[in-house]
């Protein structure tokens, strides 16, 4: 019974990690797109940087 519970727990952890990693990939892709759009659409005046740091 214990090995079965360990296998089920491992499957649950791996499923949760896989789902979280997939969500993180989508977040990273969205941030990259926003950064690229800001890089392309930067203002012509000033230092030319659209971010403050």
């Amino acid at each position: 019974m214990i090995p079965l519970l360990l296998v089920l727990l491992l499957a649950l952890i791996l499923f949760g990690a896989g789902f979280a990693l997939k969500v993180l990939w989508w977040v990273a892709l969205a941030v990259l797109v926003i950064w690229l759009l800001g890089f392309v659409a930067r203002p012509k005046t000033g230092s030319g940087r659209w971010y403050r740091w």
Side-chain angles (χ1 to χ4, degrees), residues 1-2 5 8-10 13 16 18 20 23 31 35 37 41 44-45 48:
M1 185 70 178
I2 298 290
L5 288 176
L8 288 175
L9 183 64
L10 181 63
I13 289 172
V23 169
V31 169
W35 180 75
L37 284 175
K44 303 293 185 230
T45 61

Side-chain angles (χ1 to χ4, degrees), residues 8-31:
L8 288 175
L9 183 64
L10 181 63
L12 185 65
I13 289 172
L14 289 177
F15 174 75
F19 180 74
L21 287 176
K22 189 171 185 178
V23 169
L24 287 176
W25 273 112
W26 281 111
V27 169
L29 184 64
V31 169

